[in-house]
């Protein structure tokens, strides 16, 4: 019996294409952190800022295309599939690396989900506060609570979390990609408009010149933090293999995924470099950490950009969440096989409207995913300063997840021997990225300690 073109050697039907995978990749790479890139360029100056924006794009692309060849082992085209990043680590590096990579990968994914919850609440509250000030005047007392927005965000994510897997949320990734392009384009257009009015490019080629009233050590910590911001802004290795697992046959998945990586990182690099440099040219050393807060007029356009950020975070949340859901449900189903009906039995609810709609669910998906989203929302409400901690998590996980494990997996896959010229090149690249990770961690710790001085439980500082 012939298999359908979308069927695979493991019997699972996959429907992903180069374009759906590109949408997932864009969602995984591009976050609201793009709005901090002009600030990062300001800390590094006109020479090092653009240099690192381009260099880290090239490094991330190179390592990512190596990781694409680790989806199947031992042969990259016909070998056994590694459905997840952890499966590839287990197959190529052995169980001793599995625990460390698993803790780092899923801690980072969960941390991003918490960060999305907080950032969405902050963006929504900022929009409401801006509208209040615009209506009542700059001296008006416009108090806004972020907790209610977090609860609303959590409720939305509970509904969206009932989609069965990553393939079924492709349309959310498309929406996320479009909205991220929208707010990036608006920010870029606002930069160009501001630059055209002042008729000069602000900024300097010197490093650590932003913030004249800051002490020298603080400027150095901010340089370290900016370097990390740029390095982390391109990475998506921790989701690359999960995205690659959505691609349908018969095309070789590694070849298709390399095209996806080129489109995603190439397009992202173009936006990052344009916005980072134009933002710095427009504001110079005074560029704000969240770039959109530097604009007040036209209010409607800034509000559209902020709304696009909010939509992007709402739908992008699921790309990270679905990876965690899949791992948890697979692990629990294996461990509790005697309770297979709880994990595998599908119930169907039919809704009688003008058209017949049906909703399918398993008890595990309904209860466990709902409980996980509720817990994530509660953590975000308790620790609204978590984004400072997330910066440190990103610093710590950047080198092992994005550089060390992918390079070592590829060396095993390609049978690269110790002492070969390729091995030496990989070690040099790994060492340089380790230095970036370490100095960024120093900057993140300094930033975290500063933020924690003013942090309060269950309270968002706008």
């Amino acid at each position: 019996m012939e298999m359908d073109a979308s069927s695979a050697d493991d019997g699972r039907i996959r429907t992903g294409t180069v374009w759906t995978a590109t949408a997932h990749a864009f969602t995984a790479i591009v976050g609201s952190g793009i709005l901090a890139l002009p600030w990062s360029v300001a800390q590094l100056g006109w020479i090092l800022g653009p240099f690192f924006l381009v260099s880290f794009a090239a490094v991330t692309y190179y390592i990512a295309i190596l990781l694409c060849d680790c989806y199947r082992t031992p042969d990259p085209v016909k070998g056994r599939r590694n459905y997840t990043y952890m499966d590839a680590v287990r197959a190529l590096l052995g169980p001793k690396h599995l625990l460390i990579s698993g803790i780092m990968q899923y801690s980072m994914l969960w941390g991003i989900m918490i960060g999305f919850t907080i950032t969405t609440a902050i963006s929504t509250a900022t929009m409401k506060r801006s509208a209040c000030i615009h209506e009542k005047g700059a001296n008006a007392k416009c108090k806004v609570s972020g907790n209610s927005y977090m609860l609303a965000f959590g409720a939305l994510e509970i509904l969206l979390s009932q989609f069965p897997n990553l393939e079924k949320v492709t349309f959310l990734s498309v929406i996320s990609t479009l909205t991220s392009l929208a707010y990036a384009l608006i920010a870029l257009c606002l930069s160009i408009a501001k630059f055209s009015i002042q008729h000069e490019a602000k900024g300097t080629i010197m490093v650590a010149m932003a913030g004249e009233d800051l002490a020298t050590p603080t400027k150095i910590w901010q340089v370290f933090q900016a370097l990390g911001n740029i390095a982390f802004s391109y990475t998506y290795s921790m989701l690359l293999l999960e995205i690659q697992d959505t691609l349908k046959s018969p095309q070789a998945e590694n070849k298709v995924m390399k095209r996806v990586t080129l489109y995603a990182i190439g397009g992202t690099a173009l936006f990052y470099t344009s916005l980072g440099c134009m933002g710095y040219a427009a504001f110079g050393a005074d560029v704000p950490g969240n770039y959109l807060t530097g604009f007040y007029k036209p209010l409607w356009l800034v509000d559209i950009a902020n709304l696009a950020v909010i939509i992007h975070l709402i739908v992008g949340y699921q790309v990270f969440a679905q990876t965690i859901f899949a791992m948890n449900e697979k692990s629990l189903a294996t461990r509790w096989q005697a309770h297979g009906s709880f994990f595998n039995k599908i119930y169907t609810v039919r809704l009688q409207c003008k058209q017949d709609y049906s909703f399918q669910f398993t008890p595990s998906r309904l209860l466990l995913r709902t409980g996980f989203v509720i817990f994530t929302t509660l953590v975000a409400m308790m620790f609204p300063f978590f984004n400072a901690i997330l910066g440190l998590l990103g610093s710590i996980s950047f080198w092992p997840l994005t550089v060390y494990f992918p390079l070592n997996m590829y060396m095993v896959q390609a049978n690269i021997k110790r002492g070969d010229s390729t091995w030496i090149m990989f070690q040099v690249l790994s060492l340089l990225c380790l230095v970036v990770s370490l100095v960024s961690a120093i900057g993140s710790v300094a930033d975290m300690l500063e933020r924690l001085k003013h942090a309060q439980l269950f309270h968002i500082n706008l």
Side-chain angles (χ1 to χ4, degrees):
M1 182 177 68
E2 292 186 3
M3 297 182 70
D4 184 85
S6 61
S7 298
D9 47 280
D10 60 354
R12 175 181 154 194
I13 296 178
R14 294 170 172 83
T15 58
T17 65
V18 63
W19 300 115
T20 62
T22 301
H24 287 316
F26 261 112
T27 303
I29 298 171
V30 180
S32 59
I34 186 176
L35 299 175
L37 288 178
W39 178 88
S40 299
V41 173
Q43 312 310 308
L44 297 168
W46 271 120
I47 295 178
L48 291 183
F51 171 78
F52 282 125
L53 281 170
V54 174
S55 296
F56 280 114
V59 169
T60 305
Y61 169 73
Y62 178 67
I63 296 176
I65 62 173
L66 299 181
L67 185 58
C68 294
D69 285 333
C70 299
Y71 173 63
R72 289 180 179 267
T73 53
D75 184 87
V77 177
K78 299 181 179 179
R80 184 180 63 82
R81 295 173 185 267
N82 295 308
Y83 302 106
T84 66
Y85 188 98
M86 286 180 63
D87 287 343
V89 172
R90 182 191 292 111
L92 291 165
L93 301 181
K96 67 178 182 179
H97 292 90
L98 188 63
L99 180 62
I100 297 174
S101 68
I103 291 173
M104 286 189 170
Q105 182 189 9
Y106 289 103
S107 296
M108 195 63 205
L109 292 174
W110 186 52
I112 291 172
M113 290 168 64
I114 297 172
F116 273 29
T117 306
I118 297 168
T119 306
T120 302
I122 291 173
S123 298
T124 309
T126 301
M127 276 185 65
K128 186 173 181 180
R129 188 164 177 262
S130 297
C132 174
I133 292 174
H134 187 263
E135 180 182 349
K136 299 180 180 179
N139 297 322
K141 293 182 179 180
C142 298
K143 293 184 179 180
V144 182
S145 172
N147 289 331
S148 58
Y149 297 122
M150 288 195 200
L151 290 172
F153 179 87
L156 271 174
E157 297 305 337
I158 287 174
L159 294 175
L160 295 176
S161 69
Q162 300 309 310
F163 285 100
N165 54 49
L166 188 59
E167 284 184 74
K168 300 300 182 182
V169 297
T170 298
F171 78 98
L172 294 180
S173 289
V174 172
I175 293 172
S176 180
T177 300
L178 293 175
T179 51
S180 63
L181 293 176
Y183 67 72
L185 279 172
I186 291 173
L188 182 60
C189 291
L190 291 171
S191 301
I192 294 172
K194 184 176 176 62
F195 175 73
S196 63
I197 292 173
Q198 64 193 26
H199 301 297
E200 64 173 345
K202 295 185 178 180
T204 175
I205 62 172
M206 303 298 291
V207 179
M209 296 301 291
E212 296 180 358
D213 57 335
L214 297 178
T216 300
T218 302
K219 292 182 180 181
I220 294 174
W221 307 146
Q222 289 185 347
V223 169
F224 290 171
Q225 189 183 352
L227 185 61
N229 287 347
I230 293 174
F232 311 152
S233 63
Y234 290 105
T235 183
Y236 80 117
S237 295
M238 57 189 173
L239 287 177
L240 186 148
L241 295 180
E242 283 81 351
I243 295 171
Q244 190 167 344
D245 189 50
T246 68
L247 296 172
K248 63 182 179 182
S249 301
Q251 285 184 293
E253 298 89 358
N254 62 333
K255 292 182 180 179
V256 176
M257 199 63 200
K258 288 175 183 178
R259 286 173 58 198
V260 169
T261 301
L262 175 62
Y263 297 155
I265 294 182
T268 303
L270 179 63
F271 268 101
Y272 282 5
T273 306
S274 301
L275 181 59
C277 294
M278 282 305 304
Y280 185 37
F283 283 92
D286 298 324
V287 63
N290 181 343
Y291 190 59
L292 286 177
T293 62
F295 298 97
Y296 301 98
K297 295 179 180 180
L299 181 64
W300 64 270
L301 187 59
V302 177
D303 281 347
I304 289 175
N306 279 312
L307 183 60
V309 171
I310 293 166
I311 296 173
H312 167 77
L313 294 172
I314 290 172
V315 297
Y317 180 101
Q318 285 301 315
V319 173
F320 301 93
Q322 289 291 337
T323 303
I324 296 180
F325 296 154
M327 185 274 295
N328 287 338
E329 290 164 9
K330 179 181 177 181
S331 176
L332 290 172
T334 303
R335 187 170 300 179
W336 301 94
Q337 291 182 358
H339 303 277
S341 60
F342 178 73
F343 294 98
N344 301 317
K345 187 172 181 179
I346 299 175
Y347 295 86
T348 302
V349 176
R350 299 190 183 280
L351 302 175
Q352 298 292 335
C353 301
K354 291 182 179 180
Q355 294 181 345
D356 289 340
Y357 295 97
S358 62
F359 170 67
Q360 294 183 327
F361 67 94
T362 62
S364 64
R365 187 193 307 163
L366 183 63
L367 297 177
L368 297 179
R369 294 186 180 191
T370 298
F372 186 78
V373 173
I374 290 173
F375 177 67
T376 301
T377 305
L378 288 175
V379 172
M381 291 174 66
M382 287 180 63
F383 306 103
F385 48 84
F386 187 84
N387 280 345
I389 303 172
L390 184 59
L392 180 60
L393 281 176
S395 302
I396 295 172
S397 63
F398 166 71
W399 176 71
L401 290 180
T402 304
V403 182
Y404 176 78
F405 287 129
L407 288 181
N408 279 273
M409 285 192 285
Y410 181 78
M411 284 192 286
V412 173
Q413 176 82 319
N415 197 27
I416 296 173
K417 303 296 184 183
R418 180 184 290 267
D420 289 353
S421 58
T422 304
W423 182 88
I424 294 172
M425 182 186 73
F426 282 179
Q427 301 311 306
V428 172
L429 178 61
S430 181
L431 179 61
L432 291 174
C433 291
L434 175 60
V435 171
V436 171
S437 199
L438 290 174
V439 299
S440 174
I442 294 171
S444 295
V445 168
D447 176 61
M448 183 177 69
L449 294 176
E450 182 61 30
R451 291 198 195 187
L452 291 180
K453 292 178 183 178
H454 312 288
Q456 299 178 40
L457 294 177
F458 295 100
H459 178 76
I460 290 180
N461 291 316
L462 296 180

